[in-house]
Amino acid sequence: MVQPVARVNVAPKLPPKLCRLHELTYNLRWSWDHEAIALFRRLDPDLWEETQHNPEWMLGRMSQERLNALVHDSSFMAHYARVCRAFDEYMSSGDTWFRQRYEGLERAPVIAYFSMEFGLTECLQNYSGGLGVLSGDHLKSASDLNIPLVGVGLLYQEGYFQQYLNADGYQLESYPLNDYVNLPVKRVTAEQGEPLKIAVPLPGRELFAQVWKVQVGRVSLYLLDSNIPDNPREEDRNLTDRLYGGDRRTRIRQEILMGIGGVRLLRALGIDADIFHMNEGHSAFLLLERMRDFMRDAGLTFAQAKALTAASTVFTVHTPVAAGLERFDFDLIDEHFHEMMRDLGLSRDQFLDLGRENMGHYELFSMSVMALNLSAGTNGVAQLHGKVSREMWRWLYPGVPVHEVPIRAITNGIHVQTWVSQEMAQLFDRYLDPGWRMEESRRAVWAGVQSIPDAELWRTHVRRRERLVAFARDRLREQLQRRGVSQTEIEAADEVLNPDALTIGFARRFATYKRATLIFRDLGRLRKLLTDPERPLQLIFAGKAHPHDNEGKELIRTIVNVARDQGFRNSIVFLENYDMNVARYMVQGVDVWLNNPRRPKEASGTSGMKVIYNGGLNCSIPDGWWAEAYRPDIGWSIGHGEEYREDEWAHQDYVESQALYNLLEQDIVPLFYRQSRDGLPREWIRRVKRSMEQLAPRFNTHRMVQEYTEEFYLPRFRTSEAMKLTEYAGAAAFVAWRQQLEQAWHEVSVIDVDICDGYVEIGARAEVRAQVALGALTPEDVRVQLYYGLLDAAGAIGEGQSVDMHVDRGNGNGAYTFCAEHIYRTTGNVGFSVRVLPKHEYLHSSFMPQKIVWA
């Protein structure tokens, strides 16, 4: 292999009249603009597919003659002018949600959004699955809404792996290198034109990384890359090779680079971020760097820096599976954070306490625990997931009722413009309020779905199903050719699937809890469904198993081998190398999206949301988002939300597979094929319309990002800004208050509660009085609450409610009488208690660890 002595990047010479093509390719707004995508495809349809929908690479491969000829194509030039005009209007528009909503804001906060992966478009393989696609959709909606947000992550030389199957259907992995020269990313340079670099400490040396920028509409995404000559060690250069690759030492160093390096990157760019949002715990080391910055630059104590860092941090927890959380052995923490411990003024034990998690017989440093301890705003990604997360982390808040553990829920969504098909978008343009493109969370917009003629909606969806079948056939042919099977088998690929048959899609990460093969438990029953000559059913699968997940790989092998059976050959297809392109074809073309995880292990799931906007329906275990979305008239639920112990899983699989077969045989298949005299499945179409009308306003990232802004970003900004006023006087006062609270809390007690017990009638009123000892604290330092609710079978208050009590008088010696009126609004046995909680204007929640006193 010959090493070059010089490198020259040769770029195409665009004709002056096409000079803006580069500008368009380097802003990923094109990835959610059908007109721009059509323009790039028009340049060269074959090259568009060969380059995996990468317009920058495509321009580099086009002949100069072709580029010159386009200038004389009046139709193309009109299309080009239209795309440029739309781009300019988008980038310069002042009529955006954030600007309208917060026009009176003296200064808009800058939000730094950290994620380990970003799925923006298939040509930029910087993602593995749902987490990355969610991050990408988050940035796109932030751009559409004009929220002042900047993204931070890592740029991977090999990205996630490329999947291919061997002759036995077993997953193998390849890691082709990403060629940044031909990707829509730009290296960030410093003042003198040299590459901008940052450094983070590693044991005995510094790790250097250069910076790349991806423009996502109005939002900038910055990605760190350690593969540069400044790092003499190969292990350091390879650190950003693979997403979720390597051993534990590699992982902790990746996360040091993203967390600590990400904060230093923003500083090097002159971006003074106000709010830091961690999407999962991978970036939690940024908390340490921010505290160190506050202590060094503002002269704050550790306690003050900790309070201010927490006040301006939002943490979104994703995984409800404890084994999937990011944890490190203490020896890795010792190896990498000796200097940080010194800079923060913490002993080893104090530092480890920031993330200490007891695993039973041993302890680990948990990124999630540190993020929870040092974030004022914390949320799960669906309502059920919020509940599961509160249960998972209740041990951090002893004495707090589980439903009040301060972890909220903001349900995930999807970026509609990215995932809706062009054909469906054109249909919406004809019949819906134009606001569907930018105000999709407004319910009135989607009421117009009922005005779409059934025949038009159905034809539009059928056209996408036909495209999915054609796509699947082409991909299957390519897969079989790679595997070296017989020519007869390759030619048979042209006959698989039926463009008119009921098509079910299942595509996701092949983790075992997602149970990809649940529908294969009774092959005889499934065979009848698939081979019914009058009402055929067909299945399309896609998805990757983690390279080290052998059980997940076995699930893929099972599907592929079942699909080879003569009775299933034409009705089951597994599409290799699941990515955003495959996902788009599937969610836009399937009739039903199938999802059958073990409840409650699915945090949210977003693939099923994507079919809503494309005329598909959902059939799912009521887990993740479907637990709050499901209604009997808009889709199907497998079971009723039952949860099983691990020793019952075999029984669970049997019960829920039977429930799935029953749904298919008795409801889904008959409904799909029940046609009126004009050949339309009217009842099915009505269900599709109800699904759109009811679900479309909610399950989108515009609504999601608006909720993050209103419930977290702006409240956290206001609090942290108040704490910074007058040379951080607010932070100092808050810490002083907390120190006083620590010293005096042991003196707090509920001496007596006076309430009439016995029998009362509904609607009766009762005054509750409580004698409370506060010691050195005052009534302004606490919330005294009446807590009440129906008693369960064990005689305890279940998910109770609370109401603040007001101070009636002081009794001397630090004791006070608090009062509240209670109205009996429900019948049954009602229990009461009184509790005391801390209260301060800067507290994001009155629930603090070890700070709750019950009567």
Side-chain angles (χ1 to χ4, degrees):
M1 185 177 294
V2 179
Q3 293 297 321
V5 295
R7 292 178 174 87
V8 177
N9 180 14
V10 182
K13 184 179 180 180
L14 291 176
K17 289 186 178 181
L18 296 178
C19 64
R20 298 196 65 191
L21 279 177
H22 273 309
E23 181 185 2
L24 295 175
T25 65
Y26 275 103
N27 189 316
L28 293 188
R29 180 183 176 271
W30 63 258
S31 68
W32 70 93
D33 179 11
H34 289 127
E35 276 285 300
I37 293 171
L39 179 73
F40 292 137
R41 183 181 286 114
R42 190 170 180 171
L43 288 168
D44 189 324
D46 294 334
L47 206 50
W48 175 251
E49 297 301 329
E50 286 177 31
T51 59
Q52 286 132 20
H53 305 164
N54 181 345
E56 182 57 26
W57 188 15
M58 186 173 68
L59 284 179
R61 291 180 57 184
M62 288 183 66
S63 69
Q64 198 65 49
E65 291 76 15
R66 171 62 177 161
L67 290 171
N68 293 336
L70 287 170
V71 174
H72 303 291
D73 183 337
S74 58
S75 176
F76 176 85
M77 292 305 293
H79 191 171
Y80 170 65
R82 198 162 59 244
V83 169
C84 289
R85 188 163 54 249
F87 175 79
D88 292 337
E89 289 172 359
Y90 177 89
M91 295 300 291
S92 62
S93 174
D95 185 23
T96 59
W97 176 81
F98 187 85
R99 189 166 293 183
Q100 290 178 347
R101 181 84 173 182
Y102 298 104
E103 60 181 350
L105 205 60
E106 185 176 332
R107 183 175 74 84
V110 176
I111 298 100
Y113 180 85
F114 282 66
S115 183
M116 196 73 170
E117 48 176 303
F118 287 91
L120 294 159
T121 177
E122 54 268 26
C123 72
L124 187 57
Q125 295 281 333
N126 218 52
Y127 63 96
S128 71
L131 178 71
V133 172
L134 174 74
S135 301
D137 283 6
H138 193 114
L139 297 194
K140 293 172 183 177
S141 278
S143 170
D144 289 344
L145 300 169
N146 201 17
I147 293 169
L149 182 143
V150 57
V152 179
L154 302 180
L155 183 62
Y156 304 98
Q157 185 78 51
E158 298 175 356
Y160 204 48
F161 67 90
Q162 300 290 297
Q163 176 196 57
Y164 64 101
L165 306 182
N166 67 12
D168 191 39
Y170 194 74
Q171 172 183 295
L172 300 172
E173 299 87 29
S174 66
Y175 294 88
L177 296 180
N178 288 318
D179 181 8
Y180 301 152
V181 171
N182 291 314
L183 288 172
V185 300
K186 286 187 176 180
R187 186 185 280 109
V188 179
T189 56
E191 291 181 3
Q192 303 302 318
E194 71 278 8
L196 179 68
K197 296 170 187 172
I198 61 99
V200 296
L202 288 185
R205 63 193 186 281
E206 283 192 305
L207 172 73
F208 295 92
Q210 62 183 343
V211 183
W212 298 85
K213 179 181 178 181
V214 181
Q215 196 62 38
V216 188
R218 301 179 180 102
V219 167
S220 297
L221 167 63
Y222 294 98
L223 303 171
L224 291 164
D225 163 29
S226 69
N227 186 21
I228 53 177
D230 305 62
N231 295 314
R233 297 193 185 190
E234 184 179 6
E235 63 183 282
D236 292 349
R237 293 193 301 275
N238 293 344
L239 192 62
T240 53
D241 269 1
R242 296 180 182 178
L243 173 60
Y244 304 133
D247 58 14
R248 302 308 299 162
R249 182 169 279 101
T250 298
R251 287 294 290 274
I252 197 171
R253 291 177 179 177
Q254 280 188 333
E255 295 177 12
I256 287 171
L257 177 60
M258 182 170 70
I260 295 176
V263 174
R264 295 184 177 188
L265 156 68
L266 294 175
R267 190 189 313 138
L269 292 169
I271 298 173
D272 188 11
D274 300 288
I275 303 300
F276 286 72
H277 184 175
M278 299 180 293
N279 194 36
E280 246 317 346
H282 306 111
S283 60
F285 291 135
L286 71 82
L287 298 160
L288 305 175
E289 181 71 3
R290 293 189 65 214
M291 290 190 293
R292 178 160 57 184
D293 283 353
F294 280 130
M295 294 174 69
R296 181 190 63 233
D297 300 338
L300 303 187
T301 65
F302 171 76
Q304 293 166 349
K306 178 183 175 184
L308 192 51
T309 296
S312 53
T313 302
V314 176
F315 171 47
T316 297
V317 60
H318 280 263
T319 178
V321 182
L325 298 172
E326 194 74 290
R327 303 179 177 96
F328 296 107
D329 289 321
F330 287 169
D331 60 342
L332 283 174
I333 299 298
D334 291 336
E335 180 182 350
H336 292 89
F337 289 100
H338 178 75
E339 180 183 327
M340 181 68 78
M341 294 177 194
R342 184 197 66 213
D343 291 347
L344 296 179
L346 300 178
S347 67
R348 178 179 183 271
D349 280 343
Q350 288 172 325
F351 185 90
L352 294 175
D353 284 344
L354 296 175
R356 190 188 302 269
E357 184 172 6
N358 190 324
M359 307 302 294
H361 300 295
Y362 59 96
E363 293 180 322
L364 293 174
F365 190 91
S366 165
M367 299 292 277
S368 296
V369 170
M370 179 167 66
L372 287 163
N373 282 334
L374 296 174
S375 301
T378 306
N379 70 284
V381 292
Q383 298 305 309
L384 176 59
H385 178 238
K387 181 178 179 181
V388 171
S389 298
R390 289 188 286 273
E391 184 68 47
M392 278 181 68
W393 301 110
R394 64 185 303 181
W395 62 271
L396 285 170
Y397 299 88
V400 176
V402 65
H403 70 286
E404 293 185 300
V405 169
I407 299 176
R408 296 156 73 179
I410 292 183
T411 303
N412 282 345
I414 64 136
H415 185 255
V416 177
Q417 301 303 315
T418 294
W419 295 103
V420 69
S421 72
Q422 183 174 9
E423 294 88 345
M424 195 63 73
Q426 290 169 346
L427 190 67
F428 292 162
D429 284 336
R430 284 200 296 276
Y431 292 100
L432 301 189
D433 182 316
W436 81 269
R437 285 190 175 273
M438 292 302 294
E439 302 174 83
E440 53 258 52
S441 55
R442 188 157 57 87
R443 287 205 163 270
V445 166
W446 296 98
V449 166
Q450 297 300 336
S451 67
I452 301 176
D454 287 358
E456 282 195 61
L457 179 60
W458 188 243
R459 279 199 304 269
T460 301
H461 176 68
V462 167
R463 197 174 304 124
R464 288 306 313 187
R465 190 197 314 126
E466 291 168 349
R467 290 197 178 190
L468 169 60
V469 168
F471 174 79
R473 288 171 175 173
D474 288 343
R475 290 293 287 255
L476 181 59
R477 174 182 274 271
E478 293 171 8
Q479 292 169 196
L480 295 174
Q481 287 172 339
R482 280 198 302 271
R483 287 181 216 160
V485 302
S486 68
Q487 187 61 28
T488 301
E489 193 172 349
I490 293 172
E491 291 173 358
D494 292 335
E495 299 177 5
V496 302
L497 304 179
N498 177 352
D500 297 318
L502 170 59
T503 304
I504 293 180
F506 182 102
R508 54 192 35 84
R509 182 167 55 90
F510 266 64
T512 51
Y513 76 84
K514 295 178 184 282
R515 298 189 298 177
T517 56
L518 185 70
I519 199 170
F520 292 160
R521 280 189 65 88
D522 188 336
L523 290 179
R525 203 167 170 185
L526 179 61
R527 190 187 304 270
K528 289 180 181 178
L529 285 163
L530 297 180
T531 58
D532 187 326
E534 300 297 324
R535 304 187 307 184
L537 173 71
Q538 57 195 15
L539 304 169
I540 301 178
F541 290 87
K544 297 177 178 179
H546 189 278
H548 299 147
D549 183 2
N550 291 324
E551 289 182 88
K553 291 182 179 182
E554 278 300 317
L555 295 177
I556 294 173
R557 193 174 72 85
T558 297
I559 293 171
V560 172
N561 284 299
V562 169
R564 285 176 173 159
D565 183 276
Q566 190 63 37
F568 298 121
R569 186 183 302 273
N570 293 324
S571 303
I572 301 176
V573 170
F574 183 92
L575 300 178
E576 292 179 15
N577 207 31
Y578 185 47
D579 66 359
M580 290 180 69
N581 185 43
V582 175
R584 198 177 295 111
Y585 272 97
M586 290 188 67
V587 300
Q588 292 174 0
V590 298
D591 300 298
V592 175
W593 194 259
L594 177 63
N595 188 26
N596 41 237
R598 293 193 193 281
R599 176 181 161 121
K601 294 181 181 294
E602 184 90 307
S604 171
T606 57
S607 297
M609 300 176 188
K610 298 176 179 104
V611 306
I612 296 169
Y613 301 89
N614 289 290
L617 296 172
N618 279 274
C619 177
S620 174
I621 295 287
D623 196 9
W625 77 283
W626 192 237
E628 63 196 80
Y630 168 70
R631 303 285 185 279
D633 61 340
I634 61 174
W636 295 275
S637 172
I638 305 168
H640 303 285
E642 300 88 351
E643 295 177 14
Y644 294 76
R645 301 188 310 269
E646 186 171 351
D647 60 353
E648 300 174 322
W649 282 357
H651 176 65
Q652 177 186 11
D653 291 348
Y654 171 77
V655 169
E656 293 180 345
S657 65
Q658 295 301 305
L660 174 56
Y661 292 133
N662 290 338
L663 281 174
L664 290 169
E665 294 166 346
Q666 300 168 21
D667 198 346
I668 298 175
V669 172
L671 187 67
F672 181 84
Y673 285 103
R674 188 182 305 144
Q675 297 182 351
S676 58
R677 290 198 304 174
D678 57 5
L680 294 176
R682 297 279 182 178
E683 284 298 323
W684 185 278
I685 295 169
R686 272 194 278 275
R687 188 170 288 225
V688 168
K689 286 185 173 182
R690 284 195 297 265
S691 173
M692 279 187 187
E693 185 177 8
Q694 295 181 33
L695 303 183
R698 173 151 182 77
F699 295 101
N700 57 77
T701 44
H702 276 33
R703 182 273 312 159
M704 180 192 83
V705 175
Q706 286 169 345
E707 287 186 11
Y708 274 115
T709 302
E710 295 179 334
E711 297 181 25
F712 286 117
Y713 297 161
L714 266 297
R716 294 293 92 231
F717 174 63
R718 294 186 183 109
T719 296
S720 58
E721 284 297 286
M723 293 173 72
K724 293 176 184 176
L725 290 176
T726 321
E727 300 295 320
Y728 300 92
F734 179 54
V735 168
W737 173 82
R738 290 194 64 158
Q739 290 171 343
Q740 181 189 13
L741 191 76
E742 290 288 342
Q743 294 167 2
W745 192 253
H746 70 280
E747 302 173 0
V748 176
S749 64
V750 180
I751 302 169
D752 182 52
V753 178
D754 180 16
I755 184 171
C756 177
D757 55 7
Y759 176 82
V760 298
E761 292 185 340
I762 192 167
R765 297 173 180 266
E767 184 180 56
V768 182
R769 304 174 70 81
Q771 310 296 320
V772 179
L774 297 180
L777 301 178
T778 70
E780 288 71 34
D781 296 321
V782 298
R783 298 177 72 182
V784 177
Q785 294 183 324
L786 175 66
Y787 186 83
Y788 61 93
L790 292 174
L791 299 179
D792 60 21
I797 301 172
E799 292 195 1
Q801 298 174 274
S802 62
V803 61
D804 286 346
M805 306 179 74
H806 63 272
V807 64
D808 183 56
R809 65 175 186 271
N811 303 329
N813 296 321
Y816 301 84
T817 298
F818 288 81
C819 301
E821 183 182 67
H822 178 72
I823 302 174
Y824 292 89
R825 301 185 187 278
T826 57
T827 59
N829 289 325
V830 181
F832 294 89
S833 188
V834 171
R835 67 187 183 190
V836 186
L837 302 166
K839 184 179 73 173
H840 192 282
E841 62 176 320
Y842 295 157
L843 275 181
H844 67 286
S845 165
S846 286
F847 296 109
M848 298 171 59
Q850 311 292 341
K851 297 293 181 293
I852 183 169
V853 171
W854 289 91

